[in-house]
Amino acid sequence: MNQTSAASLKPVLFVLTSHALKGATGQPTGYYLGEVTHPLAELEAADIAVEFASIQGGEPPVDGLDVDDAINARYWNDEGFRQAVRTTLKLDDADASRYSAIFFAGGHGAMWDFPGSAAAQRVTREIYESGGIVAAVCHGPAALVNVMLSNGEYLVAGKRVSAFTDDEERAVGLADEVPFLLASTLGQRGALHQPAPDWTAKVVVDGRLITGQNPQSAAGVGAALRDSLLARASA
């Protein structure tokens, strides 16, 4: 760990979904806790600062509240973390120039409010075009399906990506409930989707784009983001 390098970095902006229901099922959803805490643990261990935003701001709904997971429990029982996720910045109000990277956490809610968010598209484009890093895990890449660069091309076009697979969506019984199948839609945007077997960790780094397939990939995305940021800071 190079603390001097880390100290020179701008914060990473973690973005959480504000959507609370899985379509017409009425089942609750939100951001998936482990897809926030596991990457966060990787970054904080390297002294990389993180700030939180959500689509609507304030306190977003949480899913996957598994406190048998030691990292989840550590953060969920930490008042500083709880206060941070109770008081997230509204993404519309985010100043992209303040951040070294943007990270989109998953959770099924992301499928409903990430893709159509003009704020997500703007902040992602501005961070990427200013030389920053874009990262996402599981359903988090839903934020990327409609991001277009200033040249009119999709951000993901021609890039290798990982995301929650169509097979995994079918396995959880929500393939007919989500607004679209994430991996297929990324492919339609020109992304080169790199699937791994269901529920196995998969992280893909393509330049300044870092993506992971599922909850099992969350720590790996955090580690890849950490390594990319520290490499850039020490260059």
Side-chain angles (χ1 to χ4, degrees):
M1 178 190 321
N2 187 329
Q3 292 181 331
T4 302
S5 295
S8 70
L9 288 166
K10 297 176 183 178
V12 176
L13 184 64
F14 272 41
V15 183
L16 315 182
T17 176
S18 296
H19 189 86
L21 293 174
K22 294 176 183 174
T25 67
Q27 297 171 4
T29 188
Y31 70 89
Y32 203 79
L33 183 60
E35 294 172 22
V36 173
T37 60
H38 285 246
L40 180 62
E42 298 291 335
L43 296 175
E44 288 195 335
D47 295 320
I48 296 171
V50 169
E51 296 179 5
F52 293 92
S54 63
I55 300 300
Q56 295 179 12
E59 184 172 12
V62 63
D63 197 4
L65 185 51
D66 175 12
V67 290
D68 290 331
D69 176 304
I71 294 175
N72 279 351
R74 171 159 64 91
Y75 280 104
W76 199 247
N77 292 319
D78 178 81
E79 183 53 33
F81 173 78
R82 293 290 292 277
Q83 178 65 12
V85 295
R86 278 196 294 261
T87 57
T88 65
L89 177 73
K90 186 176 182 179
L91 191 56
D92 284 310
D93 298 331
D95 174 1
S97 68
R98 295 193 61 249
Y99 303 102
S100 63
I102 189 166
F103 167 73
F104 291 96
H108 267 94
M111 293 292 288
W112 278 269
D113 66 354
F114 276 7
S117 167
Q121 294 166 36
R122 172 186 65 81
V123 179
T124 301
R125 180 179 62 253
E126 290 177 359
I127 287 175
Y128 190 78
E129 291 188 340
S130 67
I133 297 171
V134 172
V137 70
C138 197
H139 288 96
L144 308 181
V145 297
N146 292 320
V147 176
M148 300 191 80
L149 301 177
S150 296
N151 63 8
E153 296 181 358
Y154 285 109
L155 168 64
V156 297
K159 296 186 179 68
R160 293 177 297 109
V161 302
S162 182
F164 202 67
T165 68
D166 298 357
D167 283 345
E168 286 171 321
E169 202 68 81
R170 284 187 278 267
V172 298
L174 290 169
D176 294 327
E177 201 60 52
V178 291
F180 57 93
L181 292 173
L182 179 54
S184 290
T185 302
L186 287 165
Q188 291 164 13
R189 301 294 194 257
L192 309 173
H193 183 243
Q194 314 278 295
D198 292 2
W199 320 121
T200 58
K202 177 73 172 183
V203 177
V204 174
V205 180
D206 192 329
R208 291 180 290 109
L209 181 63
I210 300 170
T211 47
Q213 179 167 316
N214 46 31
Q216 291 78 7
S217 311
V221 170
L225 177 55
R226 172 202 66 209
D227 291 348
S228 295
L229 286 168
L230 291 179
R232 292 161 61 78
S234 60

